[in-house]
Short mmCIF file of all heavy atoms in Angstrom, two decimals:
data_model
loop_
_atom_site.label_atom_id
_atom_site.label_comp_id
_atom_site.label_asym_id
_atom_site.label_seq_id
_atom_site.Cartn_x
_atom_site.Cartn_y
_atom_site.Cartn_z
N GLN E 1 0.84 -1.23 -0.05
CA GLN E 1 0.00 -0.01 0.04
C GLN E 1 0.97 1.18 -0.01
O GLN E 1 0.59 2.25 -0.69
CB GLN E 1 -0.90 0.04 1.19
CG GLN E 1 -2.06 -0.99 1.10
CD GLN E 1 -2.99 -1.01 2.31
OE1 GLN E 1 -2.62 -0.42 3.31
NE2 GLN E 1 -4.07 -1.69 2.15
N ALA E 2 1.94 1.19 0.75
CA ALA E 2 2.83 2.35 0.79
C ALA E 2 3.47 2.60 -0.52
O ALA E 2 3.60 3.68 -1.04
CB ALA E 2 3.92 2.16 1.88
N SER E 3 3.89 1.50 -1.16
CA SER E 3 4.46 1.58 -2.51
C SER E 3 3.52 2.11 -3.50
O SER E 3 3.81 2.95 -4.40
CB SER E 3 5.00 0.20 -2.98
OG SER E 3 5.53 0.27 -4.28
N SER E 4 2.29 1.64 -3.38
CA SER E 4 1.14 2.09 -4.22
C SER E 4 0.96 3.62 -4.02
O SER E 4 0.78 4.40 -5.06
CB SER E 4 -0.10 1.39 -4.00
OG SER E 4 -1.15 1.79 -4.77
N LEU E 5 0.93 4.05 -2.76
CA LEU E 5 0.76 5.46 -2.44
C LEU E 5 1.87 6.35 -3.00
O LEU E 5 1.71 7.41 -3.51
CB LEU E 5 0.61 5.68 -0.97
CG LEU E 5 -0.73 5.23 -0.32
CD1 LEU E 5 -0.66 5.35 1.14
CD2 LEU E 5 -1.85 6.03 -0.90
N VAL E 6 3.12 5.82 -2.89
CA VAL E 6 4.28 6.53 -3.43
C VAL E 6 4.16 6.64 -4.94
O VAL E 6 4.41 7.75 -5.47
CB VAL E 6 5.58 5.81 -3.02
CG1 VAL E 6 6.79 6.32 -3.82
CG2 VAL E 6 5.81 5.94 -1.52
N THR E 7 3.73 5.55 -5.55
CA THR E 7 3.62 5.63 -7.04
C THR E 7 2.52 6.60 -7.43
O THR E 7 2.64 7.45 -8.34
CB THR E 7 3.17 4.21 -7.60
OG1 THR E 7 4.26 3.30 -7.23
CG2 THR E 7 3.03 4.20 -9.11
N GLU E 8 1.34 6.59 -6.76
CA GLU E 8 0.29 7.57 -6.89
C GLU E 8 0.82 8.95 -6.76
O GLU E 8 0.43 9.87 -7.53
CB GLU E 8 -0.87 7.25 -6.00
CG GLU E 8 -1.89 6.35 -6.53
CD GLU E 8 -3.13 6.26 -5.55
OE1 GLU E 8 -3.70 7.35 -5.23
OE2 GLU E 8 -3.46 5.16 -5.13
N ALA E 9 1.56 9.17 -5.72
CA ALA E 9 2.07 10.55 -5.43
C ALA E 9 2.98 11.00 -6.52
O ALA E 9 2.90 12.11 -6.95
CB ALA E 9 2.78 10.56 -4.07
N ARG E 10 3.78 10.05 -7.02
CA ARG E 10 4.74 10.42 -8.19
C ARG E 10 3.90 10.86 -9.43
O ARG E 10 4.22 11.78 -10.13
CB ARG E 10 5.63 9.33 -8.49
CG ARG E 10 6.77 9.17 -7.42
CD ARG E 10 7.71 8.07 -7.69
NE ARG E 10 8.73 7.98 -6.72
CZ ARG E 10 9.33 6.85 -6.36
NH1 ARG E 10 9.06 5.69 -7.00
NH2 ARG E 10 10.21 6.83 -5.39
N VAL E 11 2.87 9.99 -9.66
CA VAL E 11 2.04 10.27 -10.84
C VAL E 11 1.33 11.64 -10.74
O VAL E 11 1.31 12.51 -11.61
CB VAL E 11 0.99 9.17 -11.02
CG1 VAL E 11 0.01 9.52 -12.09
CG2 VAL E 11 1.71 7.87 -11.50
N TYR E 12 0.77 11.84 -9.49
CA TYR E 12 0.15 13.13 -9.20
C TYR E 12 1.07 14.32 -9.34
O TYR E 12 0.76 15.32 -9.89
CB TYR E 12 -0.51 13.05 -7.81
CG TYR E 12 -1.35 14.31 -7.51
CD1 TYR E 12 -2.60 14.50 -8.15
CD2 TYR E 12 -0.91 15.20 -6.51
CE1 TYR E 12 -3.34 15.60 -7.84
CE2 TYR E 12 -1.76 16.27 -6.23
CZ TYR E 12 -2.89 16.53 -6.88
OH TYR E 12 -3.67 17.62 -6.63
N LYS E 13 2.30 14.11 -8.88
CA LYS E 13 3.36 15.15 -8.87
C LYS E 13 3.68 15.45 -10.36
O LYS E 13 3.74 16.65 -10.76
CB LYS E 13 4.56 14.69 -8.15
CG LYS E 13 5.74 15.66 -8.26
CD LYS E 13 7.02 15.06 -7.61
CE LYS E 13 8.24 15.69 -8.02
NZ LYS E 13 9.47 15.02 -7.61
N THR E 14 3.84 14.43 -11.20
CA THR E 14 4.10 14.68 -12.60
C THR E 14 3.01 15.36 -13.25
O THR E 14 3.22 16.26 -14.08
CB THR E 14 4.39 13.23 -13.25
OG1 THR E 14 5.49 12.65 -12.60
CG2 THR E 14 4.75 13.41 -14.70
N MET E 15 1.73 14.92 -12.86
CA MET E 15 0.54 15.55 -13.46
C MET E 15 0.58 17.06 -13.18
O MET E 15 0.29 17.98 -13.98
CB MET E 15 -0.73 14.90 -12.95
CG MET E 15 -1.95 15.45 -13.60
SD MET E 15 -3.41 14.77 -12.88
CE MET E 15 -3.43 15.51 -11.33
N LEU E 16 0.75 17.35 -11.93
CA LEU E 16 0.76 18.74 -11.45
C LEU E 16 1.88 19.59 -12.17
O LEU E 16 1.63 20.70 -12.53
CB LEU E 16 1.00 18.87 -9.91
CG LEU E 16 -0.25 18.48 -9.03
CD1 LEU E 16 0.13 18.56 -7.56
CD2 LEU E 16 -1.47 19.41 -9.36
N ILE E 17 3.01 19.00 -12.27
CA ILE E 17 4.13 19.69 -12.96
C ILE E 17 3.71 19.96 -14.36
O ILE E 17 4.01 21.07 -14.92
CB ILE E 17 5.43 18.83 -12.82
CG1 ILE E 17 5.96 18.85 -11.46
CG2 ILE E 17 6.48 19.32 -13.87
CD1 ILE E 17 7.19 17.93 -11.16
N ASN E 18 3.23 18.94 -15.07
CA ASN E 18 2.81 19.12 -16.49
C ASN E 18 1.75 20.19 -16.60
O ASN E 18 1.74 21.06 -17.51
CB ASN E 18 2.40 17.84 -17.11
CG ASN E 18 3.54 16.86 -17.38
OD1 ASN E 18 4.70 17.26 -17.48
ND2 ASN E 18 3.23 15.56 -17.39
N LYS E 19 0.72 20.11 -15.69
CA LYS E 19 -0.33 21.13 -15.73
C LYS E 19 0.19 22.53 -15.48
O LYS E 19 -0.20 23.48 -16.15
CB LYS E 19 -1.35 20.74 -14.62
CG LYS E 19 -2.66 21.50 -14.77
CD LYS E 19 -3.61 20.95 -13.76
CE LYS E 19 -5.02 21.59 -13.83
NZ LYS E 19 -5.96 21.04 -12.87
N THR E 20 1.09 22.63 -14.53
CA THR E 20 1.68 24.00 -14.16
C THR E 20 2.56 24.49 -15.37
O THR E 20 2.45 25.67 -15.75
CB THR E 20 2.51 23.87 -12.90
OG1 THR E 20 1.78 23.37 -11.85
CG2 THR E 20 3.17 25.21 -12.57
N LYS E 21 3.24 23.59 -15.99
CA LYS E 21 4.09 23.96 -17.14
C LYS E 21 3.18 24.41 -18.31
O LYS E 21 3.55 25.44 -18.96
CB LYS E 21 4.99 22.71 -17.57
CG LYS E 21 5.88 22.97 -18.71
CD LYS E 21 6.67 21.73 -19.08
CE LYS E 21 7.57 22.02 -20.31
NZ LYS E 21 8.23 20.78 -20.73
N LYS E 22 2.13 23.67 -18.49
CA LYS E 22 1.21 24.07 -19.63
C LYS E 22 0.57 25.42 -19.28
O LYS E 22 0.49 26.29 -20.24
CB LYS E 22 0.07 22.99 -19.79
CG LYS E 22 -0.84 23.30 -20.87
CD LYS E 22 -1.90 22.29 -21.07
CE LYS E 22 -2.90 22.64 -22.19
NZ LYS E 22 -3.88 21.66 -22.29
N ARG E 23 0.17 25.71 -18.08
CA ARG E 23 -0.47 26.91 -17.74
C ARG E 23 0.58 28.08 -17.90
O ARG E 23 0.23 29.17 -18.41
CB ARG E 23 -0.95 26.90 -16.24
CG ARG E 23 -1.71 28.12 -15.86
CD ARG E 23 -2.30 28.08 -14.53
NE ARG E 23 -3.01 26.87 -14.22
CZ ARG E 23 -2.94 26.20 -13.08
NH1 ARG E 23 -2.10 26.58 -12.15
NH2 ARG E 23 -3.68 25.11 -12.90
N ALA E 24 1.81 27.83 -17.47
CA ALA E 24 2.88 28.81 -17.63
C ALA E 24 3.15 29.12 -19.11
O ALA E 24 3.29 30.27 -19.49
CB ALA E 24 4.20 28.32 -16.96
N GLU E 25 3.12 28.10 -19.90
CA GLU E 25 3.38 28.33 -21.35
C GLU E 25 2.19 29.17 -21.94
O GLU E 25 2.42 30.02 -22.79
CB GLU E 25 3.46 27.03 -22.06
CG GLU E 25 4.79 26.23 -21.80
CD GLU E 25 4.85 24.88 -22.38
OE1 GLU E 25 3.85 24.32 -22.80
OE2 GLU E 25 5.96 24.27 -22.35
N GLU E 26 0.95 28.89 -21.56
CA GLU E 26 -0.21 29.58 -22.03
C GLU E 26 -0.19 31.02 -21.57
O GLU E 26 -0.43 31.99 -22.42
CB GLU E 26 -1.48 29.02 -21.55
CG GLU E 26 -1.77 27.60 -22.26
CD GLU E 26 -2.97 26.87 -21.62
OE1 GLU E 26 -3.48 27.35 -20.49
OE2 GLU E 26 -3.36 25.87 -22.19
N GLN E 27 0.27 31.30 -20.36
CA GLN E 27 0.36 32.66 -19.87
C GLN E 27 1.47 33.41 -20.63
O GLN E 27 1.34 34.56 -20.96
CB GLN E 27 0.68 32.67 -18.32
CG GLN E 27 -0.56 32.33 -17.50
CD GLN E 27 -0.25 32.25 -16.00
OE1 GLN E 27 0.90 32.19 -15.65
NE2 GLN E 27 -1.30 32.24 -15.24
N ALA E 28 2.61 32.76 -20.82
CA ALA E 28 3.66 33.33 -21.57
C ALA E 28 3.24 33.70 -22.99
O ALA E 28 3.54 34.83 -23.52
CB ALA E 28 4.93 32.44 -21.58
N ALA E 29 2.55 32.84 -23.61
CA ALA E 29 2.06 33.06 -24.98
C ALA E 29 1.09 34.28 -24.96
O ALA E 29 1.17 35.19 -25.82
CB ALA E 29 1.37 31.84 -25.55
N SER E 30 0.24 34.30 -23.95
CA SER E 30 -0.72 35.42 -23.82
C SER E 30 0.03 36.74 -23.63
O SER E 30 -0.26 37.78 -24.26
CB SER E 30 -1.67 35.16 -22.69
OG SER E 30 -2.52 36.28 -22.51
N LEU E 31 1.01 36.74 -22.72
CA LEU E 31 1.79 37.94 -22.48
C LEU E 31 2.55 38.45 -23.81
O LEU E 31 2.65 39.65 -24.06
CB LEU E 31 2.91 37.71 -21.39
CG LEU E 31 2.26 37.55 -19.95
CD1 LEU E 31 3.36 37.20 -19.00
CD2 LEU E 31 1.55 38.83 -19.56
N LEU E 32 3.08 37.44 -24.52
CA LEU E 32 3.74 37.83 -25.75
C LEU E 32 2.81 38.39 -26.74
O LEU E 32 3.08 39.44 -27.46
CB LEU E 32 4.42 36.60 -26.36
CG LEU E 32 5.72 36.11 -25.74
CD1 LEU E 32 6.20 34.80 -26.28
CD2 LEU E 32 6.85 37.15 -25.83
N LEU E 33 1.63 37.82 -26.81
CA LEU E 33 0.59 38.38 -27.77
C LEU E 33 0.20 39.81 -27.28
O LEU E 33 0.15 40.71 -28.19
CB LEU E 33 -0.65 37.48 -27.70
CG LEU E 33 -1.78 37.86 -28.65
CD1 LEU E 33 -1.31 37.92 -30.10
CD2 LEU E 33 -3.00 36.99 -28.47
N ASN E 34 0.01 40.02 -26.07
CA ASN E 34 -0.33 41.31 -25.55
C ASN E 34 0.81 42.36 -25.83
O ASN E 34 0.57 43.49 -26.19
CB ASN E 34 -0.60 41.30 -23.97
CG ASN E 34 -1.97 40.64 -23.72
OD1 ASN E 34 -2.82 40.55 -24.58
ND2 ASN E 34 -2.10 40.29 -22.44
N ALA E 35 1.99 41.85 -25.62
CA ALA E 35 3.18 42.70 -25.93
C ALA E 35 3.21 43.08 -27.44
O ALA E 35 3.50 44.28 -27.81
CB ALA E 35 4.46 42.05 -25.51
N ASP E 36 2.94 42.09 -28.27
CA ASP E 36 2.91 42.43 -29.74
C ASP E 36 1.83 43.46 -30.10
O ASP E 36 2.05 44.36 -30.88
CB ASP E 36 2.69 41.11 -30.54
CG ASP E 36 3.91 40.23 -30.57
OD1 ASP E 36 5.05 40.74 -30.33
OD2 ASP E 36 3.75 39.02 -30.96
N VAL E 37 0.67 43.21 -29.46
CA VAL E 37 -0.44 44.24 -29.74
C VAL E 37 -0.05 45.65 -29.27
O VAL E 37 -0.29 46.57 -30.02
CB VAL E 37 -1.77 43.70 -29.08
CG1 VAL E 37 -2.82 44.76 -29.08
CG2 VAL E 37 -2.28 42.40 -29.71
N ARG E 38 0.47 45.70 -28.09
CA ARG E 38 0.91 46.96 -27.63
C ARG E 38 1.97 47.61 -28.50
O ARG E 38 2.02 48.77 -28.67
CB ARG E 38 1.45 46.85 -26.08
CG ARG E 38 0.36 46.73 -25.16
CD ARG E 38 0.80 46.71 -23.74
NE ARG E 38 -0.18 46.59 -22.81
CZ ARG E 38 -0.03 46.46 -21.51
NH1 ARG E 38 1.18 46.56 -20.99
NH2 ARG E 38 -1.06 46.37 -20.67
N CYS E 39 2.88 46.80 -28.86
CA CYS E 39 3.99 47.25 -29.72
C CYS E 39 3.41 47.87 -31.01
O CYS E 39 3.82 48.93 -31.49
CB CYS E 39 4.96 46.17 -30.03
SG CYS E 39 6.38 46.66 -31.11
N LYS E 40 2.52 47.11 -31.64
CA LYS E 40 1.84 47.60 -32.88
C LYS E 40 1.03 48.92 -32.60
O LYS E 40 1.09 49.84 -33.45
CB LYS E 40 0.95 46.53 -33.49
CG LYS E 40 1.68 45.39 -34.08
CD LYS E 40 0.80 44.33 -34.60
CE LYS E 40 1.63 43.15 -35.17
NZ LYS E 40 0.77 42.03 -35.60
N ASN E 41 0.36 49.03 -31.50
CA ASN E 41 -0.38 50.17 -31.16
C ASN E 41 0.57 51.38 -30.95
O ASN E 41 0.26 52.49 -31.48
CB ASN E 41 -1.24 49.98 -29.87
CG ASN E 41 -2.41 49.15 -30.08
OD1 ASN E 41 -2.82 48.92 -31.26
ND2 ASN E 41 -2.92 48.58 -29.01
N TYR E 42 1.68 51.14 -30.29
CA TYR E 42 2.66 52.24 -30.08
C TYR E 42 3.28 52.68 -31.38
O TYR E 42 3.46 53.80 -31.64
CB TYR E 42 3.70 51.84 -29.10
CG TYR E 42 3.29 51.70 -27.72
CD1 TYR E 42 3.84 50.70 -26.80
CD2 TYR E 42 2.38 52.60 -27.14
CE1 TYR E 42 3.43 50.60 -25.56
CE2 TYR E 42 2.02 52.50 -25.82
CZ TYR E 42 2.51 51.46 -25.02
OH TYR E 42 2.15 51.41 -23.67
N GLU E 43 3.48 51.61 -32.23
CA GLU E 43 4.05 51.99 -33.60
C GLU E 43 3.05 52.85 -34.39
O GLU E 43 3.47 53.76 -34.99
CB GLU E 43 4.35 50.67 -34.33
CG GLU E 43 5.14 50.86 -35.53
CD GLU E 43 5.50 49.53 -36.21
OE1 GLU E 43 5.99 48.65 -35.53
OE2 GLU E 43 5.29 49.43 -37.45
#
């Protein structure tokens, strides 16, 4: 059971890392898009 819990915890940890990474990439893409729009407006 302990081994199973450790495995579950590792899977959950990996899932959280991937989810966080995806969210960070989406936010970065959004920020870049906003920056491009602002740049064009200033131009």
Side-chain angles (χ1 to χ4, degrees):
Q1 287 178 351
S3 177
S4 177
L5 288 173
V6 168
T7 302
E8 267 186 57
R10 285 183 182 148
V11 168
Y12 186 69
K13 175 185 163 189
T14 302
M15 183 186 74
L16 286 177
I17 289 172
N18 288 338
K19 191 174 184 180
T20 303
K21 183 179 176 183
K22 183 178 178 183
R23 189 178 307 137
E25 288 171 350
E26 289 171 353
Q27 287 177 344
S30 176
L31 289 173
L32 285 173
L33 181 61
N34 288 341
D36 284 343
V37 168
R38 285 185 179 178
C39 182
K40 287 178 184 176
N41 288 341
Y42 290 142
E43 187 176 317

